[in-house]
Amino acid sequence: MFKWLAKKWAVNDPLPETVGLIVKISYAAGYFTLTNGSREVAYLAREIALQYPTALVGWGIFSKNPRQEVEVVGNEEIFKSREFIGRILKLGLVSSSVDEPKKIKEVVGAMGIELKSIIVCAEGAHSRRCKLVWEYFFPNSNICFHSVPAWEAADRENPMWLQRYWRI
């Protein structure tokens, strides 16, 4: 029952013809590795980015990871960037659904880039609410969401309380 409802709730828009930016929502890092959500969303973004070789790929690092030591943040950065050399927009530290589009808007605005189409890769239970936030920040852009199943992102070690158990 929960999986059926989660599938219906998740946003998986049709992919557009052209894309200027692909964004990987951050779902934190645990003590020694990425959370399931961060890893699965990164895999999804990689699959989509292969279809759009000229698109930039943006991502941030969750600012409330349990350890901000070099090895944890470094591992998150290495994992997220190794596939996208030369195409990356690093946002720095982010902590909410509002931080990520706000930082993207600042970085892209400073570069003078106009984004007509954005694909956001997210976790399914988070995607519907998150899409509303992105549409607010980018009212003149086509915002397309693609989601990983909520149960694949669940992680008891996730420092984000609501991400620990997908049914919540």
Side-chain angles (χ1 to χ4, degrees):
M1 172 72 170
F2 280 120
K3 284 187 178 181
W4 177 85
L5 186 58
K7 282 182 187 178
K8 295 291 184 190
W9 183 259
V11 179
N12 284 296
D13 298 319
L15 293 174
E17 264 186 52
T18 60
V19 172
L21 176 66
I22 300 164
V23 177
K24 299 184 270 187
I25 298 293
S26 176
Y27 291 98
Y31 280 95
F32 301 106
T33 187
L34 294 181
T35 60
N36 294 342
S38 281
R39 186 179 54 254
E40 293 303 317
V41 169
Y43 288 150
L44 175 62
R46 180 179 59 197
E47 288 176 28
I48 291 172
L50 291 173
Q51 298 175 49
Y52 301 96
T54 60
L56 293 171
V57 179
W59 51 269
I61 293 175
F62 185 61
S63 66
K64 297 175 184 169
N65 285 328
R67 292 172 47 197
Q68 289 296 339
E69 287 91 356
V70 172
E71 72 271 10
V72 174
V73 173
N75 286 342
E76 186 172 359
E77 186 171 339
I78 288 167
F79 184 90
K80 289 181 174 181
S81 64
R82 67 178 163 214
E83 303 286 332
F84 308 109
I85 296 169
R87 299 170 54 188
I88 300 169
L89 283 180
K90 293 182 187 176
L91 306 179
L93 297 176
V94 294
S95 66
S96 71
S97 299
V98 174
D99 281 357
E100 287 167 311
K102 187 177 178 183
K103 290 240 183 163
I104 287 283
K105 195 167 188 98
E106 290 170 10
V107 171
V108 169
M111 297 171 69
I113 299 172
E114 183 182 348
L115 294 173
K116 295 187 188 295
S117 190
I118 303 169
I119 297 175
V120 181
C121 299
E123 177 267 323
H126 182 236
S127 61
R128 192 165 296 270
R129 178 185 52 80
C130 193
K131 185 170 182 176
L132 294 172
V133 173
W134 279 81
E135 288 173 341
Y136 172 81
F137 277 95
F138 294 95
N140 299 319
S141 297
N142 175 26
I143 306 295
C144 170
F145 262 69
H146 256 255
S147 306
V148 299
W151 55 92
E152 289 180 13
D155 191 331
R156 292 177 191 219
E157 301 300 318
N158 194 319
M160 300 170 74
W161 188 81
L162 289 175
Q163 289 293 313
R164 291 184 194 147
Y165 306 99
W166 71 272
R167 287 173 182 88
I168 295 173

